[in-house]
Amino acid sequence: MRGSRSDLSRLRIALTVFFALDGFIFAGWVVRIPAIKEQTGASASALGLALLGVSAGAVITMMLTGRLCGRYGTHRVTVACAALLSLSVALPPLTQSAVALGTVLLLFGAAYGSLNVAFNSAAVDLVTALRRPIMPSFHAAFSLGGMIGAGLGGLVACSLSPVRHLLGLTVIGLLVTAVAGRILLRIQPPSAPEDTTHQPTAPRRPNPRTRGLVITFGLIALCTAYGEGALADWSALHLEHDLDATPGVAAVGYSCFALAMTIGRLTGTKLLERLGQTRTLVGGGTTAALGMLLGALAPSVWAAFLGFMITGLGLANLFPVAVERAGRLAGPDGVAIASTLGYGGMLLGPPAIGFMADWFSLPAALTSVAVLAATAAAIALLTRRAAG
C-alpha cells in the first residue's frame, strides 16, 4: 500500500518544514560570520580555512548518511540530523580561535550535509509515491527559509550578540524538529506504486551502468552548485568593482539571483509536468548559460541584474531534478553520490573563480558559470535515452 492520501499530504508538509528549517538555520549562521570573525580574531585566510569545515564535514559524512538511511529509514535519520544541526549552530560563537571555529564547523557541516541527504531521500520516495514532480517545491522551501533566516538575522544583528542569536536558532530548530519530527516518525516511508513489500527504503546495490548514470546526474548537480557558490561569493564584488555599483546596490545582485531561483522552484512542478525532466534540464541549463553571459559581460548594473535573474530561473530546477533522478536509480546512496558531487561544485566554485580572476579578469572568470550550465544541458541531452 502506498499510504493514504492524508498521510502523504502530512508527510509532504513535514518534509517541507524540514527543508525550510535547513535553509533558515544555515542562513542565520551565515549572516553572523563577520561578527564571529571579529570575535575569534581570525585573519581572512584563517577564516577561509575555518569555513571550509562546513563543506568538508558535509562531504565526509554524506555517503555514510546514505547507508544510515538504508538501514534505519530516511525519516528517523532526518529527525536525528535536524536535531544535531539545531544544536551545532550554537557552537561557533562559543569559539575563541580559528582552529576551534573550524573544528565545530566540521560538526555543523556534517549535520547539514547529512540532513540534506536524509530529507532529499525521503522526498524522492514521496515523489515516486505521488507520481508528481514536486521535488522543486521542497527546494523552494529551502530557499524561502534561507531568505527568512537571512532577513531575520539582519534585523537582530544590531540588538543580539551572536551567542544569543544562534542559541535562539537552536531553540527554534529543536521546537520545529519536535513538532514536525513527531509527524514524520508516525508515517511509514511510502513505497513505490509497484512496491508491495511495505518496507522502508532499503539499500540498493547499483550495477555499473546505474552507478554511471547516478554520477552523470551528480555532475549536473555539480555544475549547478558551482554557479550558486560563485554567484553567492563573487556577484557583489563584480558589480562593485567592474560596474562601479555602490556596496548597497551591489548587494542587490545576489538577492535578484536568489529571488529568481525561488520563483523558478515554486513553479518547477508545473514546468516539469508540462516539459518533462529532460527538456527541463536542457532548457534550464541553456537559459542559465545565456543569463550568466549577460550577467558577467553586461556593460551596466541593471543589465547584470537581469542576467543574474535569468541565471537563477535557469538553474532553479537543475539540482532538484538531478538529485531526484539519482535517488530513483539508487535510493539514498544515489542521493548521497549526487549531493556529494554537488557540494564539491559549491566548494570548487568560489576559489576557481578567484584564480581565474587573477589570471584573466573577474567578468571572464564568471563566464565559467555559463560554460558549466551549458555543460549540464549537454549532459542531460546526451544521456536522455539512457536516463529514460
Side-chain angles (χ1 to χ4, degrees), residues 49-119:
L49 289 173
L51 292 176
L52 284 177
V54 178
S55 297
V59 169
I60 289 169
T61 56
M62 278 178 164
M63 292 305 301
L64 173 62
T65 306
R67 295 185 177 91
L68 291 176
C69 287
R71 182 169 183 177
Y72 298 107
T74 56
H75 293 185
R76 291 180 182 177
V77 178
T78 294
V79 174
C81 291
L84 181 59
L85 180 71
S86 300
L87 291 169
S88 62
V89 76
L91 298 178
L94 302 179
T95 60
Q96 299 297 322
S97 69
V99 173
L101 177 62
T103 302
V104 300
L105 287 181
L106 279 170
L107 177 61
F108 178 72
Y112 178 71
S114 297
L115 178 58
N116 275 262
V117 171
F119 61 35

